[in-house]
Amino acid sequence: MPRNNTRRKQARRTKEKWFVPKVIFRVFQSLTVFIMVLIILFAALGVGVGAGYFAYLVEDTKLPSKSELQSELGNITETSKLVYADNTEISTIQTDLMRTTVPSDQMSPYLKSAIISTEDEYFEEHKGYVPKAVIRALFSEATGIGSSGGSTLTQQLVKQQILTDETTFKRKANEILLAAQVEKHFTKDEIISTYLNVSPFGRNNKGQNIAGVQEAAQGIFGVNASDLSLPQAAFIAGLPQSPITYSPYTNTGALKEDLSAGLERKDIVLFSMYREHQITKEEYEEAKAYDLTQDFLGQQVAEQSDRDFLYYTVMNAATDIIARQLGEKDEADLSDADVYNAYYQRAEQTIQNQGYTIHSTIDKDIYEAMQAGVANFGYLLDDGRGTPVETGNVLMDNKTGRVYGFVGGRNYALNQNNHAFDTQRQAGSSIKPMLVYGPAIDMGLVGSESRVSDYETTWQEGANAGEDIVNATNKGSNTFQTVRESLEWSNNIPAYHLYQDVLNNGGSKQYAYETYLSKMNYPTNANWGVESAPLGTVDVTTLQQTNGFQTLANNGEFQQAYIIDSITDNDGNVIYQHEHKPVRVFSEAAASIVNDMMRSVIDEKITTPFKDDISSLNGSLGQADWIGKTGSTNEFRDSWLVVSTPSITISSWAGHDDNTGMDSQARFRSSKYLANLINQVYQVNPSIFGTDQKFSLASDVKKEDVAAFTGQLPGKVTVDRRSINTPSKTVESLWAKDGPEKSTFKFGVGGTDENYKDYWNTVGTFERENPQNKDDDKDDD
């Protein structure tokens, strides 16, 4: 009996010991079952809601028949065209996309397995889409978390050939629906073969855009698609993800200096094939180790066509517009070069296939006159040093920024570099009105007759610190020039001092660029802040320089240069319309003062004989109110001349593409050439030049009588403890704001105390040579 009691007590203690854990376990078990039931219920609800949402998105979609799909999946295109401003045709746009379709049995099996392994591992199993990818896309759309991604090859084919590029879930839903329809009507082999025949594969060794694996195989490796080796097939299969980035060739057909992106992509494809058991480990390692660069074809010249600078300039501008439209719709980061290139290629295909009409701003008669001008007078630029001197010219309307015409080069068949729109060269002194004189006057730092040091001085910063700053013909004239004189002579030392004054007063090395040049679409460059920037050491295009002078000629208001007026589709719907977006850069007062000084540059003929050259050709043109500026660089590698009337601005750059120098007569040849070019245009359209118009000073320009000797207000000045009166001769100085102060010992911009003492010692000579009553003031215009 005692034993039974003992057992009962032990059993009771054991039962009590496990009671709590059992309760916890049962509660946990019940909660788990409950949670699982909730998950199942919510999942079912989610699937139901998702299915309903999907049905809503595609309710208006009409399912195409097999024949309709067959037509749409093929490369059915509508011819687009480029037209002049009067709507006469420049050219039809024949696709640059080289494509040769081949049947499935003429494609290497490696190609198909490579594409499937890399792009769509479930291709053989799915029905056009992968359900879990759809659920993921639904979740992403609903929550904004994650990426929808996961498109099958069938979806990619549908997106590429049928749908638009919008990124809404409605398009994604239609993509899934149409992909299922494609799978219903076509075999897997038909789908993969179509994909390989229509997809873009970058460029070939002629620089042409290519699509389809046959063109890729022949244009990259010189073999047929059926004969590709494993590493060759893997390389081609990697291209569709980013064809331009992974292509081994540039747009000229030259091999890229850095081929790593495409080769690394090839290795990813090979690993995907190995992972999916399409190739053995030995095949993978052998193909990965193979030096594929030895198989790339060398550069070849594409067959010549009738396309020239005009065709490609207008086409490139239109493609950029459409690329930006597509990118903005997708909220893409177009500052990323790879992203931009991808959209640019999509834009090319859109323009080529959609029956667009690209309406350019180009006046047919003016453009043809300019081509005749360079053909007839381009020889005037030659320096007798071997290869012909090249040129770039742009003719622009001041009020709108419209490009009437341009010259891309001497002969497109011999040199395809577009020297008007693409080639970047140092601006030389032609940058001074926009970078130095415009800001200095706009800020009220100087007036037109203020004095600036032209005494010998040295660079203070950088590698050239301690070296002399030199003008074109001397190390300084050892005097204080007026602002107007320094621009007429295009001297570097006064420009240097003025620019330092601009930056010091602006408070930043980049002040002039950020406040002025950036608004005129000049390129971002840290060198705008260096001491030598006023000498034109930053590279610019002829178009950018023309636009800078347009700003000054247009009363200080920038209108971005444009060559595309509008783009319409086959039904006449406007896809794009240029909008004028003026930007105030300089005050009207400052611009009008700089224009007045640039009239002196042309009239005084110190740096260019343009006034004589244009007058000798055409009296009416000689009477026009011409303003302008010259520019040259070391060893005369570049020769610039940009001139304006109140109506138009026309530019001329000349130089050798290999950057070798010309002789010192380059500026005279540039002047004669540009005068002849302008006269050619005048013969076909004289109205654009506004020969009856005059540049005038803005109503708020301050006209101040200043002492000619100091550029400041007349008065007594203490020099070496002696009080003397400024010489009596006065001149009218033009100020945009503020105004001159009373004359002081250090009256000018730049210069040392010794320079000022030296200058004050010339007071007597100055008075004798410049009596007050001598009537030598310039005529008001």
Side-chain angles (χ1 to χ4, degrees):
M1 195 70 178
R3 288 182 179 177
N4 290 336
N5 288 337
T6 299
R7 289 194 189 101
R8 282 196 292 271
K9 288 179 180 178
Q10 290 175 341
R12 187 168 57 252
R13 282 197 296 269
T14 300
K15 185 175 182 181
E16 290 172 352
K17 176 181 178 182
W18 290 102
F19 176 75
V20 173
K22 284 182 179 179
V23 170
I24 293 173
F25 174 76
R26 286 174 182 172
V27 170
F28 177 76
Q29 188 178 45
S30 299
L31 283 173
T32 301
V33 171
F34 178 71
I35 290 171
M36 289 180 66
V37 169
L38 282 178
I39 290 173
I40 293 170
L41 287 173
F42 277 116
L45 178 62
V47 170
V49 171
Y53 182 47
F54 185 90
Y56 164 74
L57 292 173
V58 300
E59 63 180 351
D60 296 328
T61 303
K62 177 186 176 184
L63 292 179
S65 65
K66 181 177 181 178
S67 61
E68 289 172 331
L69 280 174
Q70 205 157 17
S71 173
E72 289 182 310
L73 293 176
N75 188 35
I76 305 302
T77 65
E78 295 178 275
T79 301
S80 297
K81 62 182 178 179
L82 311 175
V83 298
Y84 290 102
D86 63 358
N87 288 323
T88 57
E89 188 173 296
I90 296 173
S91 176
T92 57
I93 302 174
Q94 299 173 353
T95 177
D96 283 331
L97 208 60
M98 307 297 294
R99 177 185 283 119
T100 302
T101 59
V102 291
S104 175
D105 60 6
Q106 292 182 26
M107 298 178 184
S108 167
Y110 285 136
L111 275 171
K112 297 177 183 178
S113 61
I115 284 286
I116 292 171
S117 298
T118 308
E119 299 289 339
D120 189 356
E121 59 187 295
Y122 301 111
F123 179 71
E124 298 294 346
E125 288 80 34
H126 65 63
K127 300 297 184 184
Y129 60 93
V130 178
K132 66 179 182 181
V134 177
I135 294 173
R136 184 167 66 246
L138 278 168
F139 180 78
S140 175
E141 172 71 11
T143 65
I145 300 173
S147 171
S148 57
S151 293
T152 66
L153 283 171
T154 315
Q155 287 174 255
Q156 292 179 42
L157 180 62
V158 166
K159 178 182 177 182
Q160 182 172 286
Q161 297 298 107
I162 300 177
L163 297 176
T164 65
D165 292 308
E166 61 180 329
T167 56
T168 63
F169 199 74
K170 180 177 179 64
R171 186 204 57 76
K172 191 73 174 178
N174 279 289
E175 176 187 299
I176 294 168
L177 184 66
L178 291 172
Q181 192 74 352
V182 169
E183 293 273 350
K184 175 182 176 181
H185 290 299
F186 301 97
T187 66
K188 291 290 186 179
D189 188 66
E190 287 174 325
I191 294 170
I192 189 65
S193 298
T194 302
Y195 178 90
L196 289 170
N197 269 324
V198 301
S199 292
F201 287 91
R203 297 189 178 101
N204 63 15
N205 66 326
K206 297 178 181 179
Q208 298 165 318
N209 291 321
I210 53 177
V213 290
Q214 178 66 2
E215 285 291 341
Q218 291 185 334
I220 298 174
F221 300 114
V223 300
N224 290 321
S226 59
D227 299 325
L228 290 166
S229 67
L230 174 56
Q232 290 172 343
F235 184 86
I236 288 176
L239 291 170
Q241 186 187 70
S242 186
I244 298 300
T245 300
Y246 295 138
S247 173
Y249 299 108
T250 68
N251 60 357
T252 67
L255 277 171
K256 293 178 179 176
E257 292 184 7
D258 184 1
L259 298 167
S260 60
L263 295 174
E264 289 171 4
R265 175 66 179 162
K266 177 261 298 180
D267 291 343
I268 292 173
V269 174
L270 286 170
F271 179 77
S272 298
M273 296 177 74
Y274 169 54
R275 182 193 61 203
E276 297 301 316
H277 308 292
Q278 297 299 312
I279 56 175
T280 66
K281 183 178 182 180
E282 291 73 23
E283 288 176 315
Y284 164 65
E285 291 178 345
E286 182 181 349
K288 184 179 179 183
Y290 180 75
D291 181 12
L292 193 61
T293 59
Q294 64 186 330
D295 291 355
F296 291 140
L297 295 175
Q299 182 181 19
Q300 293 182 13
V301 178
E303 296 78 11
Q304 292 295 321
S305 68
D306 58 356
R307 299 179 186 179
D308 59 7
F309 290 117
L310 179 58
Y311 177 92
Y312 288 110
T313 301
V314 175
M315 183 64 178
N316 290 344
T319 306
D320 177 74
I321 288 169
I322 298 299
R324 294 187 183 282
Q325 284 187 340
L326 295 173
E328 288 168 5
K329 183 184 294 183
D330 290 350
E331 298 183 353
D333 179 13
L334 295 179
S335 64
D336 184 304
D338 289 341
V339 174
Y340 176 80
N341 286 337
Y343 277 96
Y344 192 89
Q345 186 173 62
R346 284 166 59 183
E348 284 182 318
Q349 296 169 356
T350 300
I351 291 174
Q352 290 162 356
N353 299 336
Q354 296 300 314
Y356 287 170
T357 298
I358 314 297
H359 302 264
S360 78
T361 64
I362 300 298
D363 182 292
K364 182 179 181 180
D365 293 337
I366 290 175
Y367 181 79
E368 291 178 348
M370 294 181 76
Q371 306 322 297
V374 73
N376 296 334
F377 304 105
Y379 73 90
L380 293 172
L381 296 166
D382 292 336
D383 56 4
R385 295 188 176 186
T387 57
V389 173
E390 273 294 352
T391 186
N393 312 108
V394 176
L395 175 58
M396 182 182 297
D397 179 70
N398 291 337
K399 295 295 185 289
T400 65
R402 171 190 174 182
V403 176
Y404 284 114
F406 66 94
V407 172
R410 295 276 293 274
N411 188 327
Y412 182 81
L414 299 177
N415 187 337
Q416 290 82 49
N417 291 336
N418 189 328
H419 303 90
F421 283 76
D422 301 332
T423 302
Q424 295 181 320
R425 297 292 289 253
Q426 289 191 351
S429 291
S430 67
I431 198 65
K432 289 175 181 175
M434 286 72 68
L435 180 67
V436 181
Y437 292 89
I441 290 174
D442 190 66
M443 296 166 71
L445 302 179
V446 293
S448 62
E449 311 308 317
S450 298
R451 293 273 175 172
V452 188
S453 173
D454 193 33
Y455 281 84
E456 290 187 35
T457 191
T458 60
W459 299 111
Q460 302 300 303
E461 302 173 355
N464 297 324
E467 295 181 9
D468 291 327
I469 303 176
V470 297
N471 298 323
T473 59
N474 56 52
K475 293 183 179 180
S477 59
N478 292 327
T479 188
F480 283 87
Q481 289 188 315
T482 68
V483 170
R484 185 185 297 273
E485 287 171 340
S486 69
L487 185 62
E488 291 170 356
W489 284 89
S490 195
N491 281 336
N492 294 328
I493 295 172
Y496 159 78
H497 288 302
L498 274 175
Y499 193 55
Q500 291 306 302
D501 205 32
V502 167
L503 299 187
N504 290 337
N505 279 276
S508 164
K509 290 287 188 182
Q510 289 293 311
Y511 179 80
Y513 172 74
E514 292 171 352
T515 309
Y516 297 98
L517 266 67
S518 66
K519 296 177 182 178
M520 294 180 280
N521 213 29
Y522 279 95
T524 303
N525 193 311
N527 287 334
W528 290 119
V530 303
E531 288 183 318
S532 61
L535 278 62
T537 54
V538 177
D539 289 345
V540 297
T541 67
T542 306
L543 180 71
Q544 289 165 343
Q545 276 297 80
T546 315
N547 226 162
F549 279 84
Q550 167 274 324
T551 303
L552 289 168
N554 191 38
N555 301 313
E557 193 170 75
F558 170 80
Q559 288 278 18
Q560 183 164 349
Y562 71 106
I563 199 169
I564 306 297
D565 181 65
S566 64
I567 302 174
T568 56
D569 64 16
N570 257 353
D571 297 323
N573 299 311
V574 177
I575 305 301
Y576 165 82
Q577 178 67 58
H578 175 77
E579 295 181 12
H580 297 298
K581 297 178 180 179
V583 177
R584 171 60 60 188
V585 180
F586 302 102
S587 67
E588 288 190 38
S592 69
I593 294 171
V594 177
N595 291 337
D596 186 78
M597 294 194 303
M598 286 199 293
R599 181 192 292 117
S600 296
V601 170
I602 299 299
D603 288 348
E604 294 302 317
K605 311 169 193 174
I606 296 169
T607 59
T608 177
F610 175 78
K611 187 78 169 182
D612 289 339
D613 289 335
I614 197 69
S615 298
S616 66
L617 290 173
N618 190 305
S620 295
L621 280 171
Q623 295 301 311
D625 193 10
W626 291 104
I627 66 172
K629 183 70 184 74
T630 57
S632 60
T633 56
N634 289 343
E635 300 176 11
F636 301 99
R637 294 189 182 102
D638 306 275
S639 178
W640 292 88
L641 176 58
V642 188
V643 296
S644 302
T645 70
S647 182
I648 58 94
T649 295
I650 186 167
S651 56
S652 177
W653 167 85
H656 291 292
D657 278 348
D658 62 5
N659 212 27
T660 54
M662 300 177 287
D663 62 39
S664 61
Q665 300 301 300
R667 60 193 176 102
F668 297 103
R669 293 194 299 270
S670 290
S671 173
K672 193 173 291 293
Y673 162 73
L674 184 58
N676 277 278
L677 185 70
I678 290 171
N679 190 48
Q680 289 281 125
V681 175
Y682 186 84
Q683 301 307 312
V684 299
N685 195 331
S687 64
I688 67 167
F689 287 94
T691 55
D692 58 339
Q693 302 173 30
K694 298 290 182 182
F695 286 104
S696 59
L697 293 173
S699 59
D700 58 340
V701 168
K702 296 182 178 181
K703 302 177 181 180
E704 302 283 354
D705 286 333
V706 298
F709 186 78
T710 63
Q712 294 183 327
L713 297 175
K716 290 186 177 182
V717 178
T718 301
V719 181
D720 285 336
R721 299 180 181 179
R722 291 184 303 115
S723 180
I724 63 174
N725 287 313
T726 56
S728 58
K729 172 69 175 176
T730 61
V731 293
E732 185 179 79
S733 186
L734 307 176
W735 288 75
K737 61 185 294 188
D738 299 333
E741 298 178 352
K742 185 178 179 181
S743 288
T744 58
F745 171 71
K746 296 185 73 170
F747 51 80
V749 177
T752 66
D753 287 351
E754 291 302 317
N755 297 154
Y756 284 95
K757 287 181 182 179
D758 178 76
Y759 185 74
W760 279 105
N761 285 335
T762 67
V763 166
T765 302
F766 184 90
E767 278 201 297
R768 286 193 300 273
E769 295 177 351
N770 298 275
Q772 174 62 39
N773 295 328
K774 185 177 178 181
D775 187 19
D776 60 355
D777 289 341
K778 292 181 175 62
D779 293 332
D780 290 332
D781 289 302

